[in-house]
């Protein structure tokens, strides 16, 4: 006996849940990155080639 084919509603629900999970994971990653970069000294940030004022823009640009 074969398993029943998932309904369209079921597929949309799974897609929505995966999207929600992806947004949660990306948000956590962005907050972790922000805390890490905020804790770095000016010298460490310059070694990476970025200024402190560029950090928020960099995180927003690479969020998705």
């Amino acid at each position: 006996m074969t398993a029943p084919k998932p309904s369209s509603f079921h597929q949309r629900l799974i897609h929505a849940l995966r999207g929600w999970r992806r947004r949660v994971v990306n948000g956590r990653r962005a907050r972790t990155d922000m805390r890490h970069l905020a804790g770095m000294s000016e010298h460490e940030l310059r070694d990476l080639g970025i200024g402190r004022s560029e950090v928020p823009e960099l995180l927003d640009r690479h969020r998705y």
Side-chain angles (χ1 to χ4, degrees):
M1 181 169 207
T2 61
K5 186 176 179 181
S7 68
S8 176
F9 170 76
H10 182 255
Q11 290 171 342
R12 288 193 316 265
L13 178 62
I14 295 298
H15 181 72
L17 291 173
R18 286 181 180 157
W20 173 80
R21 182 177 181 270
R22 184 176 52 249
R23 287 188 301 276
V24 168
V25 168
N26 287 341
R28 282 185 189 151
R29 185 177 298 130
R31 286 188 298 277
T32 300
D33 292 345
M34 180 65 95
R35 281 192 303 268
H36 183 76
L37 290 171
M40 296 177 94
S41 69
E42 293 294 326
H43 180 76
E44 292 170 321
L45 289 172
R46 276 194 308 254
D47 283 347
L48 293 174
I50 59 174
R52 188 161 304 278
S53 63
E54 297 174 273
V55 171
E57 179 197 344
L58 289 170
L59 293 176
D60 285 340
R61 188 180 335 149
H62 297 290
R63 183 171 292 173
Y64 299 102

